[in-house]
């Protein structure tokens, strides 16, 4: 079947590369089509590459945000040696530090008993989930990673010394007359390290400067708690 030259309109044969009448290059039209198709493929590949890169960096950003969120909500490890924990808490907690006195007054003796060698008197709680000594304590809507020492009272309840792991304006928090179920609920622990009054006396740790009792606040179950503040952290 004969065709016409797109340039002069005269008949040409299939397979001709040039028009025998005007010399028009018949392969030019085909070449342009190939060039256009090639250009489209390049653009398509570039577009796909752009979105692949964008997706990759988007994934990196999502992972980074996830890691940051985990770090923010993760509990700090704190001290691994329980004696280091106790000594740190004695530097930050006025109530705990007072047990270093050689003799307790009559009121304290009635509250805590006269057995100064009872190694279950002060119980440094171990977090059953992390197997370390740090718990998440909620104070007025703010999460404060803290060490928790439960003091066994004669009446069967406990007093809690709650000491933030990181130094800040809150030096420690004292909760009195809390039940065992309360401790299990807020500070789940399968194990603890016990200390006696004599153990605390032997440590001879000085209280950090500028620590004073502040206001009485309401605790998690509407109980009254006493908060000790480090005034030096506000300067």
């Amino acid at each position: 079947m004969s065709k016409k030259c797109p340039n002069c309109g005269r008949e040409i044969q299939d397979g001709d590369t040039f028009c025998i009448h005007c010399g028009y290059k018949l392969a030019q039209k085909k070449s342009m089509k190939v060039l256009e198709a090639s250009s489209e493929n390049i653009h398509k590949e570039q577009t796909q590459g752009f979105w692949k890169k964008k997706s990759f960096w988007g994934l990196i950003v999502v992972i980074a945000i996830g890691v940051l969120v985990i770090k923010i909500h993760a509990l700090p490890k704190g001290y691994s040696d329980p004696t280091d924990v106790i000594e740190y808490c004695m530097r930050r907690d006025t109530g705990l530090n007072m047990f270093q006195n050689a003799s307790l007054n009559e009121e304290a003796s009635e509250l805590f008993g006269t057995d100064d060698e009872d190694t279950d008197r002060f119980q440094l709680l171990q977090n059953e989930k992390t197997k370390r000594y740090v718990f998440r304590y909620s104070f007025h809507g703010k999460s404060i990673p803290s060490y928790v020492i439960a003091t066994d009272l004669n009446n069967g309840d406990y007093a809690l010394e709650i000491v933030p792991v990181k130094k800040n304006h809150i030096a420690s928090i004292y909760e009195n007359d809390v039940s065992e179920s309360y401790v299990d609920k807020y500070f789940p622990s399968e194990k603890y390290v016990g200390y006696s009054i004599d153990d605390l006396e032997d440590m001879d740790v000085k209280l950090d400067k500028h620590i004073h009792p502040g206001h009485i606040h309401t605790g998690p179950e509407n109980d009254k708690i006493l908060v000790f503040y480090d005034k030096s952290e506000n300067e």
Side-chain angles (χ1 to χ4, degrees), residues 56 60 72 79 100 121 152 155 193 201 216:
F56 171 77
I60 293 297
I72 290 174
Y79 289 114
Q100 291 184 113
R121 180 69 67 207
D152 188 11
N155 60 7
V193 181
E201 288 181 355
I216 295 177

Side-chain angles (χ1 to χ4, degrees), residues 11 23 34 63 73 79 84 97-98 101 120 137 155 178 200 226:
E11 290 186 357
V34 171
I63 293 174
H73 290 85
Y79 289 114
D84 290 338
N97 190 277
M98 77 175 187
N101 296 330
D120 287 331
Y137 180 72
N155 60 7
V178 299
L200 268 56
L226 179 61

Side-chain angles (χ1 to χ4, degrees), residues 10 43 53 93 105 205:
R10 301 177 72 175
H43 176 71
K53 289 180 179 179
D93 187 275
N105 59 41
V205 178

Side-chain angles (χ1 to χ4, degrees), residues 39-124:
S39 177
E40 287 179 3
N41 289 336
I42 292 172
H43 176 71
K44 186 177 180 180
E45 289 176 0
Q46 289 176 340
T47 303
Q48 289 176 343
F50 169 78
W51 286 108
K52 283 181 179 179
K53 289 180 179 179
K54 193 169 184 179
S55 299
F56 171 77
W57 287 112
L59 180 61
I60 293 297
V61 170
V62 169
I63 293 174
I65 292 174
V67 171
L68 181 61
V69 169
I70 291 173
K71 284 187 175 181
I72 290 174
H73 290 85
L75 286 172
K77 291 183 178 181
Y79 289 114
S80 58
D81 188 320
T83 301
D84 290 338
V85 176
I86 289 291
E87 290 182 350
Y88 170 81
C89 291
M90 290 174 70
R91 291 197 301 269
R92 305 293 293 172
D93 187 275
T94 301
L96 192 63
N97 190 277
M98 77 175 187
F99 285 98
Q100 291 184 113
N101 296 330
S103 60
L104 299 175
N105 59 41
E106 185 177 345
E107 182 181 352
S109 295
E110 290 179 359
L111 182 61
F112 299 105
T114 57
D115 185 1
D116 293 350
E117 296 180 358
D118 181 8
T119 54
D120 287 331
R121 180 69 67 207
F122 304 99
Q123 302 173 10
L124 173 61

Side-chain angles (χ1 to χ4, degrees), residues 10 37 40 51 65 124 127 131 151 161 181 196 216 231 235:
R10 301 177 72 175
E40 287 179 3
W51 286 108
I65 292 174
L124 173 61
N127 191 318
K131 309 305 179 186
T151 305
E161 311 289 347
S181 60
S196 67
I216 295 177
K231 300 296 183 181
E235 296 176 356

Side-chain angles (χ1 to χ4, degrees), residues 154-190:
N154 276 343
N155 60 7
D157 289 334
Y158 291 86
L160 298 180
E161 311 289 347
I162 302 164
V163 183
V165 172
K166 295 183 178 179
K167 288 186 177 181
N168 56 67
H169 69 287
I170 296 179
S172 63
I173 298 172
Y174 176 77
E175 293 194 29
N176 192 30
D177 290 327
V178 299
S179 64
E180 186 174 351
S181 60
Y182 174 93
V183 177
D184 291 340
K185 178 180 179 181
Y186 291 102
F187 310 106
S189 175
E190 294 179 352

